[in-house]
């Protein structure tokens, strides 16, 4: 089972967009793909269930008939830092809980599990814990989404260095080019020389994720 964790240089960088497009790409290759979004903050209450949009998009892309609650077990209504949202509801987020629900996803025995992080790599959970501690425990392979904009070189290199100093493998990165960035090609080239893992795709703005799905180089992943 290939276990992939999608992180990014920042929040809103394109993690869900890349995760769902990648899931489409794997499904189109005939793979069984399960998804996981352990923590979300920014949900709508529907029939007393907190529903997060990222989880809904992941559910649509994947093909393992998972419920929204199984995909996203820890959900907060307010769109704020999750550890603050947890404090506001007198809840403690533990790695054990994130692990417990992850094991349920793994029990589906899909070919691939794609997990979307929240925020960037060092997302605090409170009590000195980070979401990256869960990735460390589970030794997932990490894909880094870089939101190509001024300042992204620093964020990308720092994130990559944190991932490898956590003893994890970063199996690829994605240049997500949705903003007008001066010297975009030069910035992508610089990242290609700074980051040793393969660039899986250079994505421009595209609404149709099936089109985007075709742009990934999956040769090093499958
Ligand atoms: N290449 C792209 N083409 C078109 N739209 C995109 C692209 N990349 C991202 N977007 C859009 O930009 C917005 C932010 O992207 P996305 O939700 O994937 O970020 P995120 O990193 O998952 O954010 P969060 O930290 O909130 O989970 C979304 O509306 C998404 O559909
Ligand atoms: Mg997201």
């Amino acid at each position: 089972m290939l276990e992939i964790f999608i992180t990014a240089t920042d929040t809103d960088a394109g993690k869900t967009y890349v995760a769902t497009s990648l899931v489409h790409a794997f499904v189109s290759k005939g793979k069984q793909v399960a998804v996981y979004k352990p923590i979300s903050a920014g949900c709508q209450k529907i029939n007393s269930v907190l529903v997060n949009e990222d989880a809904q998009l992941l559910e649509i892309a994947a093909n393992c008939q998972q419920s929204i609650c199984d995909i996203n077990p820890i959900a907060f209504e307010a769109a704020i830092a999750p550890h603050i949202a947890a404090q506001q509801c007198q809840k403690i987020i533990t790695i054990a809980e994130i692990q417990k629900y992850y094991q349920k996803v793994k029990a589906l025995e899909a070919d691939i599990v794609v997990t979307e992080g929240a925020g960037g790599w060092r997302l605090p959970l409170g009590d000195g814990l980070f979401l990256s501690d869960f990735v460390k425990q589970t030794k997932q392979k990490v894909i880094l989404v870089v939101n190509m904009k001024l300042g992204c070189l620093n964020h990308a290199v720092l994130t990559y260095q944190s991932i490898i100093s956590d003893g994890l493998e970063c199996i690829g990165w994605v240049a997500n080019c949705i903003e007008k960035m001066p010297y975009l090609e030069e910035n992508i080239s610089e990242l290609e020389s700074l980051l040793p893992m393969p660039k899986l795709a250079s994505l421009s703005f595209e609404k149709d994720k099936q089109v985007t799905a075709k742009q990934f180089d999956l040769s090093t992943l499958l």
Side-chain angles (χ1 to χ4, degrees):
M1 182 184 291
L2 175 60
E3 298 170 61
I4 294 175
F5 184 89
I6 309 281
T7 193
T9 42
D10 205 349
T11 191
D12 260 344
K15 292 182 298 298
T16 307
Y17 184 87
V18 168
T20 50
S21 306
L22 251 187
V23 171
H24 281 307
F26 291 139
V27 168
S28 73
K29 299 265 178 221
K31 302 292 178 192
Q32 285 290 312
V33 188
V35 286
Y36 190 44
K37 169 88 188 177
I39 300 174
S40 71
C43 298
Q44 247 192 308
K45 210 171 230 170
I46 304 174
N47 300 328
S48 73
V49 175
L50 286 173
V51 178
N52 172 259
E53 196 192 3
D54 292 4
Q56 285 180 309
L57 294 170
L58 289 165
E59 182 199 15
I60 293 166
N63 59 357
C64 283
Q65 278 78 48
Q66 299 167 266
S67 72
I68 283 285
C69 296
D70 284 346
I71 293 172
N72 177 213
I74 304 173
F76 300 103
E77 196 161 5
I80 56 178
H83 74 287
I84 297 174
Q87 277 165 12
Q88 298 300 311
C89 329
Q90 278 87 46
K91 188 180 157 46
I92 292 170
I93 306 173
T94 65
I95 302 291
E97 187 183 7
I98 298 171
Q99 270 277 18
K100 181 179 84 182
Y101 290 109
Y102 186 60
Q103 294 313 318
K104 197 168 170 191
V105 176
K106 281 185 68 177
L108 296 167
E109 295 186 343
D111 300 311
I112 304 170
V113 179
V114 175
T115 299
E116 182 190 339
W121 181 246
R122 279 291 181 247
L123 178 92
L125 301 179
D127 208 18
L129 294 171
F130 297 96
L131 186 57
S132 52
D133 294 323
F134 156 67
V135 192
K136 268 162 88 172
Q137 277 188 14
T138 45
K139 298 188 174 59
Q140 291 168 71
K141 312 276 191 215
V142 182
I143 291 177
L144 170 60
V145 179
V146 179
N147 181 14
M148 295 303 302
K149 62 175 192 175
L150 204 56
C152 73
L153 303 183
N154 170 55
H155 286 145
V157 172
L158 287 176
T159 304
Y160 169 72
Q161 288 175 342
S162 297
I163 294 165
I164 53 163
S165 78
D166 282 342
L168 294 165
E169 192 186 346
C170 195
I171 56 171
W173 71 282
V174 175
N176 198 25
C177 316
I178 42 178
E179 298 194 14
K180 270 214 162 29
M181 184 186 199
Y183 297 99
L184 175 66
E185 286 314 318
E186 288 81 351
N187 279 281
I188 292 177
S189 299
E190 186 61 21
L191 278 179
E192 282 177 317
S193 68
L194 291 168
L195 302 173
M197 63 282 195
K199 187 186 72 183
L200 304 174
S202 227
L203 306 176
S204 47
F205 190 90
E206 169 59 61
K207 281 213 179 300
D208 186 345
K209 289 181 189 160
Q210 301 285 5
V211 171
T212 299
K214 295 196 181 83
Q215 291 170 23
F216 290 100
D217 177 0
L218 303 179
S219 59
T220 54
L221 303 186
L222 296 177

